[in-house]
Amino acid sequence: MSSPATSSDREKVVSKLPGWLRQNLKIRAAQHGIEIQAAVEQGINAWCSLASTTATVDTAGADSFSTFLPPGQWDEFRQVVADRRVSLIQGLAQAVQLWLDSNPAPDVERPEATRRIVVCNQKGGVGKTAITAGLGEALAEDPNTLHSVRVAKALAKALRASDDQSGSEPASDPLDIESLPGLGLRVLLVDFDPQCHLTNQLGGAPLPMDGDSLTNHMAGSPKGEIRDLIIPVDDDTFGGRLHLLPACNDAFLLDVRLSAVRAREAALERALAPLEADYDVILVDCPPSLGLSMDAAAYYGRRRDGENPGQSGALIVVQAEDSSADAYELLTNQIDDLRSDLQVDIDYLGIVVNLYDSRRGFIATSSLQGWVDIKDPRVVGLIGDLKEQKEAVRMKQPLLSYAPKSQQAIGMRALAREIA
């Protein structure tokens, strides 16, 4: 049942637990940010302190379970189990269940005010839509399920050694992947692009030209309530936490219609204001444009009174190639001009280098280094150019539903935690 003390001055113990109880223990320990061995230690101490045994736990199908406990605790526990005339497996199951009951799942940490993230770049084809969708999916994942996440040190390692990689995705040591609970936030994805890519990729239908649309609400001529336009995204995976405001082709006329609107830079904010109370995060997938619509999007992401820096703002998606750098400069110039003209604070939430493939050689690796060297804003995500994203688009499914264990999905979760 036990082996010599480990280097951490604990002894390995081996018993049995039913699979469902092991899984609950694993998830709850991760939710509270403690190691499983610490949770079992606390549960055994609490169970031994009780005056009697607790309710019987169904241990059918129990199989091997091992952990590390302080020296002597397991022997003391075995004695209490014998005194109470229950099996060792039953005693351990009761101890673990007692810890679970005493440490309920924590509430999801919600922002005090709705965060507004504007995903942008003047250049088309960099994958803004894929990043918008993947980030929103990662923010909305089930908080009672564990998901594979690349931790920050893996991103830093990949950036430092980008020119040494030989594959299409930065190499990752298994130790750099953690199993963490989903963030469980309520997320609204706004398709602000007249090309309707986000809507189509997630299996939605663009809004009809003769009906209501975000453009109508921004132009001051709505045909109904904006919340009536919203559709859910894959409820089975995201539990009703992820929604989409579909696009309409009438957004091609948005700049023309905005030219006649008073305080046009605030048009998107006025349109989306009725929805903010229902969501923790609103992500806006911007068109590749430097027109009035981009002004409205950037203004929507400005820092509001009482809002902390870095809560809302612009997330810039680029590729590791030269034309992205030119477009980046145009975009940042526009945002800086808006800051100056309107006297507002628009924070940069970071740069995401998307569709990265080091096999493209010096252009890719040197361009990546160029993004890393910017420092302000810093690179907060590195997403490889792999097949799963393209397959998910073809299947009209969210990436994190279609390929939840893919390297791209792992990277999206890392991005969500970098900017959370």
Side-chain angles (χ1 to χ4, degrees):
M1 281 290 185
S2 65
S3 64
T6 68
S7 59
S8 61
D9 200 28
R10 284 175 173 258
E11 61 180 356
K12 182 178 182 180
V13 299
V14 179
S15 184
K16 289 185 177 181
L17 276 180
W20 64 268
L21 191 55
R22 284 202 317 276
Q23 183 67 9
N24 289 347
L25 173 63
K26 183 178 180 181
I27 293 172
R28 193 69 53 79
Q31 289 172 331
H32 285 277
I34 69 171
E35 294 182 351
I36 291 176
Q37 62 188 23
V40 175
E41 176 188 348
Q42 294 170 15
I44 288 176
N45 283 336
W47 187 81
C48 290
S49 298
L50 296 175
S52 63
T53 58
T54 56
T56 300
V57 176
D58 182 3
T59 59
D63 55 18
S64 181
F65 171 77
S66 62
T67 188
F68 293 89
L69 297 175
Q73 186 186 40
W74 188 246
D75 290 335
E76 294 173 6
F77 175 63
R78 287 164 56 94
Q79 184 59 55
V80 175
V81 164
D83 292 342
R84 293 179 177 176
R85 299 181 180 179
V86 297
S87 69
L88 190 60
I89 296 173
Q90 180 62 216
L92 181 60
Q94 290 183 18
V96 169
Q97 187 61 55
L98 178 60
W99 184 86
L100 291 169
D101 293 341
S102 303
N103 295 271
D107 293 333
V108 172
E109 294 186 14
R110 304 193 183 280
E112 293 183 4
T114 302
R115 299 183 63 193
R116 301 160 320 283
I117 299 175
V118 178
V119 184
C120 52
N121 192 331
Q122 183 270 342
K123 183 180 185 298
V126 297
K128 294 185 297 294
T129 297
I131 296 301
T132 302
L135 175 57
E137 294 160 25
L139 290 168
E141 280 190 309
D142 187 357
N144 295 311
T145 302
L146 297 182
H147 310 274
S148 298
V149 180
R150 177 176 296 127
V151 294
K153 65 180 181 180
L155 173 61
K157 181 175 68 176
L159 296 179
R160 287 195 305 269
S162 60
D163 56 349
D164 294 330
Q165 304 296 339
S166 59
S168 62
E169 175 74 5
S172 178
D173 189 292
L175 295 177
D176 292 333
I177 304 297
E178 290 186 1
S179 294
L180 298 176
L183 296 174
L185 298 176
R186 301 167 300 173
V187 178
L188 175 64
L189 304 175
V190 177
D191 193 346
F192 196 43
D193 189 339
Q195 299 173 92
C196 308
H197 290 320
L198 181 62
T199 301
N200 290 323
Q201 286 186 20
L202 294 177
L207 298 170
M209 287 284 287
D210 59 352
D212 202 7
S213 67
L214 177 59
T215 299
N216 289 337
H217 285 263
M218 292 180 65
S221 55
K223 297 182 179 180
E225 296 291 330
I226 193 167
R227 67 179 65 255
D228 293 337
L229 304 177
I230 293 173
I231 60 174
V233 177
D234 198 349
D235 273 357
D236 290 342
T237 298
F238 302 105
R241 291 178 296 273
L242 185 63
H243 293 162
L244 169 69
L245 177 56
C248 177
N249 293 138
D250 68 356
F252 280 114
L253 305 173
L254 180 58
D255 280 8
V256 175
R257 296 182 67 178
L258 284 182
S259 64
V261 173
R262 180 176 298 177
R264 53 182 176 263
E265 68 277 352
L268 182 59
E269 181 167 301
R270 290 194 297 268
L272 297 181
L275 305 175
E276 289 186 3
D278 297 331
Y279 297 98
D280 301 308
V281 183
I282 295 179
L283 284 156
V284 181
D285 182 27
C286 294
S289 166
L290 294 176
L292 298 179
S293 56
M294 188 59 223
D295 279 347
Y299 183 83
Y300 183 59
R302 81 191 187 286
R303 192 192 316 160
R304 295 175 179 173
D305 291 342
E307 190 172 23
N308 292 327
Q311 292 297 294
S312 298
L315 183 67
I316 303 176
V317 181
V318 301
Q319 285 183 272
E321 43 85 34
D322 294 340
S323 61
S324 275
D326 297 335
Y328 169 83
E329 185 173 355
L330 290 171
L331 175 64
T332 54
N333 285 341
Q334 180 180 10
I335 291 176
D336 290 344
D337 287 345
L338 199 63
R339 283 169 161 174
S340 177
D341 293 344
L342 300 179
Q343 295 296 296
V344 295
D345 292 316
I346 302 174
D347 296 328
Y348 292 112
L349 302 182
I351 297 171
V352 180
V353 182
N354 191 33
L355 299 173
Y356 180 68
D357 185 347
S358 63
R359 294 177 302 182
R360 296 186 178 120
F362 176 74
I363 294 296
T365 57
S366 61
S367 295
L368 175 59
Q369 190 59 52
W371 293 119
V372 174
D373 289 343
I374 290 177
K375 304 300 182 186
D376 185 18
R378 67 183 176 88
V379 173
V380 293
L382 179 63
I383 307 296
D385 186 8
L386 297 174
K387 64 183 179 64
E388 285 82 4
Q389 177 64 55
K390 298 179 180 68
E391 292 173 351
V393 170
R394 174 68 63 87
M395 300 301 294
K396 296 187 180 298
Q397 294 181 21
L399 170 66
L400 273 65
S401 297
Y402 176 79
K405 296 181 180 180
S406 67
Q407 289 299 311
Q408 287 166 318
I410 291 170
M412 293 295 184
R413 296 186 188 109
L415 172 60
R417 284 161 174 79
E418 279 288 312
I419 67 172

